[in-house]
Amino acid sequence: MRPHVTALTLGVRDVAAARRFYIDGLGWDPLFEQAGEIFFVQIAQGQMLGLWNVVSMRSEYGDVGHNDGGPAIPVSLGQNVASPGDVDDLIAEALAAGATLVSAARSQPWDGYSGCFADPDGYRWDIVYNPGFRIDDDGAVHLGAAG
Amino acid sequence: MRPHVTALTLGVRDVAAARRFYIDGLGWDPLFEQAGEIFFVQIAQGQMLGLWNVVSMRSEYGDVGHNDGGPAIPVSLGQNVASPGDVDDLIAEALAAGATLVSAARSQPWDGYSGCFADPDGYRWDIVYNPGFRIDDDGAVHLGAAG
């Protein structure tokens, strides 16, 4: 099995609320959508993110739970950016679009700077400046100064 | 905020068990690792997957829960493949590496063929043949015959 993820799917309680955040709020373009059921956006080269009605999701993925006001789902989506200022700007943009602040941006022990917000379903987004992170022209990712 | 996810992080109870599945079992290459704490593999152009000790994860992502034998986490990682036979082959490979079958591969109402397995922490992987899915040379994703 090649390590190539072409789709990431998150179960959401309210597809319309997720759409308001990602499409209307952040301004992303839907690739495909069925109202109230699912929509997809492209989030990397060759990869889409699906926001799917969590009730329907059980038809394919078995007994999956969901945020019910207790602990959040232990998953984060991350965006590495070019500077600490970009971290601050992105988090401000997401909060303006309806996100909730989880961890205010701060310097990290691994020499970076990052902060975390949650989308309307509590999914964590980690906005990160990491001086050791690099993407080559061919898409190869490197972590750490020696990478 | 650009729709570019550079990292996806999943909280796991046992990093060594996750490592046995992804690195030893599926044969993926670690980009970076700290034993018992976290490891990263590349899963798309410009994107890495992190498997992180869920206890440590709470330091950045707040009160996140985890699989405790109840309903699974409502998230799936997907790999689109070129044929129904590839779906069967990939699922067999994952089961041999220690995955658990969630939904046996079958024809789907959207004209495709797919099945689902779970990794050692219960994270769903959806292996999909969808004749309407296409990735262009520039990485653009299309869904549906008209895409």
Side-chain angles (χ1 to χ4, degrees):
Chain A
M1 182 171 179
R2 292 181 309 144
H4 185 192
V5 173
T6 50
L8 169 66
T9 306
L10 307 179
V12 298
R13 289 163 301 186
D14 183 340
V15 177
R19 192 185 191 289
R20 280 194 296 275
F21 179 66
Y22 289 103
I23 308 295
D24 301 333
L26 297 183
W28 297 2
D29 295 317
L31 265 177
F32 175 85
E33 54 184 322
Q34 283 187 292
E37 182 61 21
I38 197 167
F39 65 92
F40 292 95
V41 291
Q42 180 156 352
I43 56 168
Q45 285 194 54
Q47 186 185 86
M48 54 191 178
L49 170 68
L51 286 296
W52 193 9
N53 183 320
V54 71
V55 175
S56 303
M57 193 179 206
R58 296 184 180 119
S59 66
E60 291 191 30
Y61 301 145
D63 184 24
V64 296
H66 202 265
N67 276 347
D68 55 4
I73 292 160
V75 169
S76 85
L77 296 90
Q79 186 167 137
N80 282 265
V81 295
S83 70
D86 287 348
V87 172
D88 293 334
D89 290 348
L90 268 186
I91 292 176
E93 181 186 346
L95 297 181
T100 303
L101 189 65
V102 174
S103 299
R106 60 185 189 273
S107 294
Q108 300 287 356
W110 36 269
D111 291 336
Y113 179 85
S114 70
C116 177
F117 64 81
D119 86 351
D121 272 79
Y123 285 108
R124 271 51 180 157
W125 278 86
D126 200 16
I127 308 300
V128 179
Y129 165 66
N130 179 345
F133 178 87
R134 186 180 93 236
I135 302 176
D136 290 343
D137 288 343
D138 66 358
V141 172
H142 300 271
L143 258 188
Chain B
M1 182 172 179
R2 292 181 309 143
H4 185 192
V5 173
T6 51
L8 168 65
T9 306
L10 307 179
V12 297
R13 287 163 302 187
D14 183 340
V15 176
R19 192 185 192 287
R20 282 193 296 277
F21 179 68
Y22 289 102
I23 307 296
D24 302 333
L26 297 183
W28 297 1
D29 296 316
L31 265 178
F32 175 86
E33 55 184 321
Q34 283 185 294
E37 182 61 21
I38 196 168
F39 65 93
F40 293 96
V41 290
Q42 182 157 350
I43 55 168
Q45 285 194 53
Q47 186 185 86
M48 55 191 178
L49 170 69
L51 286 297
W52 193 10
N53 183 321
V54 70
V55 175
S56 303
M57 194 179 208
R58 297 185 179 118
S59 66
E60 291 190 31
Y61 301 147
D63 183 24
V64 295
H66 202 264
N67 276 346
D68 55 4
I73 292 159
V75 169
S76 85
L77 296 88
Q79 185 166 136
N80 282 265
V81 295
S83 70
D86 287 349
V87 172
D88 293 335
D89 291 348
L90 267 185
I91 291 176
E93 182 187 345
L95 297 181
T100 304
L101 188 65
V102 174
S103 299
R106 61 184 188 274
S107 294
Q108 299 287 356
W110 36 267
D111 292 335
Y113 179 86
S114 71
C116 177
F117 64 81
D119 86 352
D121 272 80
Y123 285 108
R124 271 54 179 153
W125 278 85
D126 199 14
I127 309 300
V128 178
Y129 165 64
N130 179 345
F133 178 86
R134 187 180 93 236
I135 302 176
D136 290 343
D137 289 343
D138 66 358
V141 172
H142 300 271
L143 258 189

